[in-house]
Amino acid sequence: MVKLRSFKAFRPSFDDAEIIAELPYDVMSTDEAREIIKVNPRSIIGIDRAEAHFDNIEYNDPAVYKKARELFKEIIKSGELKQDEDSSIYLYVQEFKGKTQKGIVALSSAEDYLNKKIKVHEKTIAEKEVDRTNHIDITGYHLGPIFLLYETNKKIENIINETIKNDNVLFDFEKNGVRNTGYKIIDSEGIIEAFNEIENTYIADGHHRSKSAINVYLKDRENNTRRESDYFLSVLFSKDDINVMAYNRYLRSLKGLKTEEVFDALRKYYEVEELKEFTEPGQKYELSVYHDKKSYKLTLKDEYKNSDVLKDLDVSSLQKYVLNGIFGIEDPTVEDDLEFVGGIRGINHLKTLVDKNGGIAFSMYPTSAEDLLSVAGRGDMMPAKSTWFEPKLLNGLFVHEM
């Protein structure tokens, strides 16, 4: 049983939605945010990354969170974000490269998270947790929704389809190649009842934001603070609806090894085939490798495949046999020479990195949503940067005031 709650969202008008909405804070730098608000001072990124309003300040300086709170007050006072009169559940539809994903916008239960009804698959970093915890706590708002998955449910699908037919559109615009459309769900109670029949939801993207929301809830509970921190902002998608892309790896050097030594070592674990051009792998157990102007297809040998879903992930094999086994990288998250490259950047970006700076690039086959649910469902953690979800959810279209 998964608990959802409707809420009175703060939302931009139909005409203002495109101007205010922006990608979340964690997919851009402070400098990138600063450039956006120079061109568009109304962008929500000015609140999400309030340090962009200062010339020289650390992102986690207390003045940053104070500034974010002041900006929230200003944008609400101006009427650019208005609160709905009625409590609702919403629908957020994104169309990207011919694929459509339809998300339920609702509040998810902090107690469900603590009781492991909401499953996680990534570890969080304390420093990042502190930042978002302070942002939520001091501003009093959930700005960035958590991207959750659920097992496909016919009742939910029917309500979604009826909502779209009703054509009560809250916003409809294209940004960064993605068409974003919003609706009010026509049967909020039906959605809540349908999720009561679902055993678990799974975090796809937003582990730090969700853990930070929980930190605020626990603090409020301890201090007996009366506000709606016991639920947090989320968008829930059917696992069959979403687009998972690869999270690729670029290693800036061969860590003192010669090219022939690297490929001799690779041949122990993989069948190695030189290709005419650098292309994305076509199936599970394949890697595409680019080094020194040459392209290769690597296919994992049968004896190194594993019946355990976590150990059998392509990212697990790459880490065990290649990054650690050959290059001695035990913890990829602290390796200065290793860069994680989201699949949205495309394979040519990897090629450009190698041609310009040397090193070696690994293009991965995407981890499946089924594997994510299997690993998270049993309480395990996937290797760092195992999945890249695209399109990203835009912030500022639905805001929850605690």
Side-chain angles (χ1 to χ4, degrees):
M1 175 180 175
V2 171
K3 291 179 286 185
L4 296 186
R5 180 180 289 177
S6 61
F7 68 113
K8 298 177 182 179
F10 279 89
R11 300 188 294 103
S13 69
F14 186 94
D15 292 331
D16 285 344
E18 181 179 2
I19 299 168
I20 290 173
E22 191 48 79
L23 291 168
Y25 78 100
D26 53 355
V27 299
M28 68 176 71
S29 67
T30 301
D31 286 341
E32 287 171 327
R34 190 174 286 122
E35 289 303 311
I36 290 172
I37 60 177
K38 278 181 183 178
V39 176
N40 176 21
R42 300 169 67 193
S43 171
I44 203 73
I45 196 63
I47 297 176
D48 216 5
R49 273 196 173 275
E51 74 272 16
H53 293 279
F54 299 85
D55 290 332
N56 186 21
I57 196 171
E58 290 295 323
Y59 72 94
N60 55 1
D61 189 289
V64 171
Y65 309 115
K66 182 180 178 182
K67 180 67 173 179
R69 181 173 176 81
E70 290 172 357
L71 291 169
F72 254 128
K73 289 182 178 180
E74 289 176 12
I75 197 171
I76 289 168
K77 185 177 180 180
S78 71
E80 290 179 292
L81 286 182
K82 290 184 178 180
Q83 190 174 29
D84 282 338
E85 293 183 1
D86 300 321
S87 187
S88 302
I89 289 179
Y90 306 86
L91 179 64
Y92 182 11
V93 180
Q94 293 180 301
E95 296 177 44
F96 177 64
K97 293 187 175 180
K99 185 174 177 63
T100 301
Q101 58 184 31
K102 302 174 286 294
I104 303 293
V105 184
L107 301 185
S108 289
S109 166
E111 286 294 332
D112 276 357
Y113 183 102
L114 293 171
N115 294 329
K116 302 187 186 306
K117 289 286 185 181
I118 299 173
K119 302 290 187 180
V120 303
H121 72 269
E122 281 185 7
K123 294 179 180 178
T124 54
I125 299 170
E127 183 180 1
K128 291 184 177 181
E129 267 188 50
V130 171
D131 169 47
R132 283 302 105 175
T133 299
N134 286 335
H135 195 282
I136 296 167
D137 187 26
I138 294 170
T139 65
Y141 293 87
H142 291 133
L143 173 58
I146 314 307
F147 190 141
L148 297 175
L149 302 180
Y150 62 87
E151 294 280 1
T152 302
N153 178 282
K154 193 65 178 175
K155 290 181 182 177
I156 297 171
E157 295 304 304
N158 288 340
I159 295 173
I160 287 174
N161 292 333
E162 287 302 314
T163 296
I164 293 173
K165 287 179 186 177
N166 197 42
D167 203 33
N168 181 19
V169 180
L170 304 177
F171 56 81
D172 189 356
F173 62 91
E174 187 170 315
K175 194 163 193 169
N176 305 318
V178 181
R179 184 181 178 188
N180 301 271
T181 313
Y183 308 82
K184 278 191 179 181
I185 290 283
I186 61 170
D187 184 6
S188 293
E189 287 303 316
I191 289 289
I192 291 171
E193 290 172 7
F195 272 94
N196 283 339
E197 300 174 6
I198 290 178
E199 187 174 356
N200 299 109
T201 57
Y202 304 80
I203 297 177
D205 203 3
H207 283 81
H208 287 92
R209 278 166 280 162
S210 57
K211 184 61 166 60
S212 299
I214 300 305
N215 292 342
V216 172
Y217 165 60
L218 292 174
K219 178 183 175 182
D220 284 355
R221 190 171 70 177
E222 182 179 352
N223 296 332
N224 200 28
T225 303
R226 299 184 66 182
R227 59 179 176 177
E228 196 178 45
S229 60
D230 54 335
Y231 279 76
F232 58 85
L233 184 62
S234 60
V235 185
L236 304 99
F237 295 88
S238 161
K239 69 175 177 60
D240 298 319
D241 224 13
I242 50 118
N243 182 38
V244 189
M245 302 183 78
Y247 221 137
N248 301 313
R249 273 72 167 147
Y250 165 58
L251 188 59
R252 294 183 180 87
S253 76
L254 300 187
K255 311 296 285 183
L257 298 173
K258 296 179 180 179
T259 296
E260 55 268 27
E261 292 175 323
V262 170
F263 279 86
D264 282 345
L266 285 172
R267 288 185 180 93
K268 176 180 178 181
Y269 306 107
Y270 295 89
E271 299 292 345
V272 179
E273 177 186 352
E274 187 169 346
L275 303 174
K276 292 182 179 179
E277 60 180 310
F278 189 38
T279 57
E280 294 177 346
Q283 60 186 353
K284 185 175 172 64
Y285 302 121
E286 285 185 4
L287 291 173
S288 293
V289 176
Y290 186 74
H291 169 68
D292 195 23
K293 306 287 186 182
K294 294 182 179 179
S295 305
Y296 306 86
K297 180 175 79 171
L298 272 59
T299 306
L300 189 67
K301 294 181 178 179
D302 288 343
E303 58 263 38
Y304 296 106
K305 296 173 184 176
N306 202 296
S307 58
D308 181 273
V309 63
L310 177 59
K311 295 177 181 178
D312 201 45
L313 297 173
D314 285 347
V315 289
S316 299
S317 299
L318 177 72
Q319 175 57 36
K320 180 178 180 179
Y321 301 128
V322 182
L323 296 181
N324 190 10
I326 297 175
F327 296 108
I329 300 172
E330 294 183 7
D331 184 353
T333 63
V334 298
E335 172 56 51
D336 291 338
D337 273 353
L338 186 66
E339 180 178 339
F340 297 97
V341 182
I344 189 62
R345 290 184 176 269
I347 200 162
N348 286 333
H349 179 73
L350 292 174
K351 187 173 183 291
T352 299
L353 287 172
V354 175
D355 288 342
K356 183 178 180 180
N357 305 308
I360 187 168
F362 302 91
S363 175
M364 313 290 296
Y365 188 73
T367 301
S368 71
E370 287 288 351
D371 283 347
L372 186 156
L373 266 61
S374 295
V375 172
R378 69 185 199 184
D380 282 334
M381 298 293 170
M382 300 177 79
K385 311 297 184 184
S386 293
T387 52
W388 180 277
F389 293 91
E390 196 71 32
K392 300 295 183 185
L393 304 177
L394 296 180
N395 285 359
L397 297 173
F398 305 95
V399 177
H400 171 233
E401 181 184 34
M402 294 189 296

